[in-house]
């Protein structure tokens, strides 16, 4: 499988597909067809960086690892949000870096940072390029140029400690590459965000991503035990014990720092033995509220399966829990997916206990077929988004989280904000994607007929949704991170003192402000 994505679409170019006929029929019925022709690729502006600086970089890294050709720069332009794709489709490459540098070690990263600080170049760490919040769009103004610092050459499994069950990985490993190296050692990380096929270990850490094993070992930050970071002020190595009381946990400062405080050059994670058994099942609930109550009861009883997600009525009807089957038989009520992974006896024991509790709570078992379909199609939805965009239908997602007592309020407010802003014809779907004892995350998917200019159409809807999230007292992001897109709402969440703490840390670690300027920190 390729690790290089299509510049204007999600994922492996070989897997780009047209909408299946029945889905096309449904799209035409709901939204009307409005095929959008592809725009010819525009040439890029010449690199703004002084050629003498590029020569120095080439001397340091080797000439093959300092690239200024259009194709390489185009592939390192922005991430994969729908606005990113719309801009790329419209031929807008104004955020392209001037050069792409590819260090191979912590020391080379540090040297690039030194040179960038000396020449006042903005530096954008690039892992898999799957950001959906503008995390790869650094501010250019005030800098002598923009460097994309591509971690593609840092792909080693540094060490597996089979006694402690930890593994140390370099940041440029993409999800499948990391799992393949770990599998050869008989262990797994088990972190499966929907972007798994292209996102990187460093990116998971820098954004605090969450995987689809949403009730098991899904949150990447909870898997990290240690980090190495190259900052303009020097090296930081953190995580010398499984737990400590040595002041505030500085690992948490770099987890989620989105390339603004340093470049993560190694990550030590907890690993587990490869699962011997995996079982995925479906459950039906009369309503979203009934299913949510069941999830809360499981979480508070300490009975969480490895995977647990619940689609609302609209998403269940569209069968989006199985993206490949849009337009298939719609079922009533709400679909829940449960998944159990691990050693067979433990899997069976937990499955039996969960089955008993869900039955008592009024759920109807739908067998393994819906679960297997979900597991089989779990990485397909982003390809469908491209096919919908081809047909003139805007598709995007956003996510948030709150405490159980506030879930209904948050759901209602965000849904109303999106529907009110997008108007007709549009669809707003939601599922509970991650579950905790105290609350859960809501993941919204919208589809709307594209306006003549779909970018402001989506930005208005996104802004309305973010305002609603803040008004409901929820988080602006449960796992997509802040980037540039959520930055205007961050102060409402962490307060002005919180913002000033971030600014102070940034000023200390990155006094020239070269690391991802304009990202994350208001
Ligand atoms: C189709 C699709 C599905 C997605 N599904 C999920 C999901 O299920 N769960 C989820 O949590 N997210 C999801 N995302 C969002 C995205 O995949 C995650 O944020 C992911 O963790 C980003 O990893 P990356 O390697 O692609 O990082 P990039 O996009 O390359 O970078 C993200 C940010 O981190 C910084 N960065 C990257 N590497 C480093 C490093 N080594 N050191 C310091 N900073 C660094 C970048 O500068 C940038 O600010 C999805 C995105 C898409 C497009």
């Amino acid at each position: 499988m390729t690790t290089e994505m299509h510049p204007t679409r999600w994922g492996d170019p070989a897997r780009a597909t047209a909408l299946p006929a029945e889905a096309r029929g449904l799209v035409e019925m709901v939204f009307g067809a409005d095929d959008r022709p592809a725009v010819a690729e525009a040439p890029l502006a010449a690199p703004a960086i002084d050629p003498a600086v590029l020569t120095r970089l080439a001397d340091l890294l080797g000439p093959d690892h300092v690239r200024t050709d259009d194709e390489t720069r185009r592939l390192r332009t922005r991430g994969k949000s729908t606005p990113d794709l719309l801009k790329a489709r419209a031929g807008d490459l104004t955020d392209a870096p001037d050069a792409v540098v590819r260090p191979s070690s912590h020391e080379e990263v540090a040297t690039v940072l030194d040179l960038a600080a000396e020449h006042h170049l903005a530096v954008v760490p690039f892992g898999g390029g799957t950001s959906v919040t503008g995390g790869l769009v650094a501010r250019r103004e005030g800098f002598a140029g923009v460097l994309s610092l591509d971690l593609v050459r840092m792909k080693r499994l540094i060490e597996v400690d089979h006694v402690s069950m930890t593994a140390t990985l370099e940041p440029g490993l993409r999800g499948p590459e990391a799992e393949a190296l770990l599998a050869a050692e008989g262990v797994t990380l088990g972190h499966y965000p929907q972007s798994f096929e292209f996102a990187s270990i460093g990116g998971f850490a820098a954004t605090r991503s969450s995987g689809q094993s949403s009730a098991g070992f899904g949150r990447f930050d909870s898997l990290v035990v240690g980090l190495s970071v190259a900052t303009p002020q020097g090296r930081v190595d953190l995580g010398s014990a499984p737990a400590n009381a040595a002041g505030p946990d500085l690992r948490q400062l770099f987890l989620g720092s989105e390339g603004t405080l340093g470049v993560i050059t190694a990550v030590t994670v907890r690993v587990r033995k490869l699962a011997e058994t995996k079982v995925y099942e479906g459950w039906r609930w009369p309503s979203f509220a009934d299913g949510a109550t069941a999830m809360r009861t499981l979480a508070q009883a300490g009975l969480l399966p490895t995977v647990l997600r619940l689609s609302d009525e609209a998403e269940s009807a569209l069968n989006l829990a199985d993206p490949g089957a849009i337009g298939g038989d719609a079922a009533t009520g709400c679909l829940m997916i449960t998944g159990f992974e691990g050693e067979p006896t433990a899997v069976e024991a937990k499955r039996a206990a969960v089955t008993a509790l869900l039955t008592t709570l009024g759920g109807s078992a739908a067998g393994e077929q819906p679960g297997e379909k979900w597991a089989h199609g779990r990485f397909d939805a982003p390809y469908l988004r491209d096919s919908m965009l081809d047909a003139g239908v805007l598709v995007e997602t956003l996510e948030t989280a709150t405490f159980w007592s506030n879930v209904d309020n948050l759901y209602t407010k965000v849904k109303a904000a999106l529907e009110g802003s997008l108007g007709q014809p549009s669809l707003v779907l939601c599922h509970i994607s991650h579950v905790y004892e105290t609350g859960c995350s809501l993941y919204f998917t919208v589809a709307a007929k594209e306006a003549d200019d779909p970018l402001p159409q989506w930005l208005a809807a996104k802004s309305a949704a973010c305002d609603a999230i803040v008004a409901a007292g929820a988080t602006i992001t449960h796992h997509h991170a802040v980037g540039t897109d959520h930055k205007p709402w961050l102060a409402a969440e962490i307060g002005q003192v919180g913002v000033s703490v971030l600014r102070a840390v940034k000023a200390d670690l990155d006094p020239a402000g070269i690391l991802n300027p304009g990202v994350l920190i208001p």
Side-chain angles (χ1 to χ4, degrees), residues 10 79-81 124-132 135-136 151 171 191-195 198-212 257-260 262-265 382 385 434 443 479-481 516 519:
W10 167 257
K80 293 291 177 186
S81 67
V124 183
F126 186 99
T130 69
S131 168
V132 281
L136 297 163
L151 293 149
H191 183 69
Y192 291 105
Q194 196 177 48
S195 52
F198 291 91
S200 69
I201 293 293
F204 295 152
T207 60
R208 293 210 279 144
S209 74
S210 277
Q212 292 177 345
S257 63
E258 301 185 44
T260 61
V263 179
I264 297 165
T265 54
R385 171 177 62 162
H434 297 82
Y443 187 95
H479 58 265
H480 281 168
N516 251 351
V519 171

Side-chain angles (χ1 to χ4, degrees), residues 307-318:
V307 174
L308 184 62
R309 48 188 283 135
L310 173 74
S311 295
D312 72 356
E313 287 83 354
E315 187 171 291
S316 301
L318 259 183

Side-chain angles (χ1 to χ4, degrees), residues 12-154:
D12 182 350
R15 282 170 60 194
T17 48
L19 278 179
E22 68 278 20
R24 170 88 196 184
L26 190 71
V27 166
E28 284 181 5
M29 191 175 75
V30 178
F31 303 104
D34 185 11
D35 289 334
R36 302 280 161 141
V39 172
E41 285 182 353
L44 290 176
I49 298 177
D50 180 352
V53 177
L54 293 174
T55 303
R56 276 189 70 192
L57 282 164
D59 290 344
L60 289 168
L61 304 179
D64 196 35
H65 303 305
V66 180
R67 302 212 172 160
T68 54
D69 60 284
D70 275 14
E71 193 192 345
T72 308
R73 291 167 63 207
R74 185 177 282 120
L75 287 167
R76 296 295 171 262
T77 304
R78 308 190 187 99
K80 293 291 177 186
S81 67
T82 297
D84 292 340
L85 297 180
L86 289 171
K87 285 181 191 168
R89 282 168 176 249
D92 172 356
L93 292 163
T94 44
D95 294 315
D98 296 294
V100 179
V101 294
R102 310 193 318 180
S104 66
S105 65
H106 177 99
E107 289 67 30
E108 286 192 357
V109 171
T111 313
V112 170
L113 295 186
D114 286 348
L115 206 96
E118 185 186 333
H119 295 279
H120 209 54
L121 302 175
V123 176
V124 183
F126 186 99
T130 69
S131 168
V132 281
T133 55
L136 297 163
V137 186
R139 194 183 67 241
R140 169 176 286 277
E141 295 74 43
F143 290 90
V146 177
L147 284 181
S148 172
L149 191 151
D150 189 347
L151 293 149
V152 65
R153 290 172 69 210
M154 295 181 66

Side-chain angles (χ1 to χ4, degrees), residues 49 107 119 136 175 268 304 314 359 363 390 409 418 437 512:
I49 298 177
E107 289 67 30
H119 295 279
L136 297 163
T268 302
L304 285 176
T359 307
D390 292 341
N409 174 44
L418 287 167
E437 254 178 73

Side-chain angles (χ1 to χ4, degrees), residues 458-476:
W458 169 246
L459 295 181
K462 169 84 175 175
S463 180
C466 290
D467 288 345
I469 286 170
V470 167
T475 179
I476 198 66

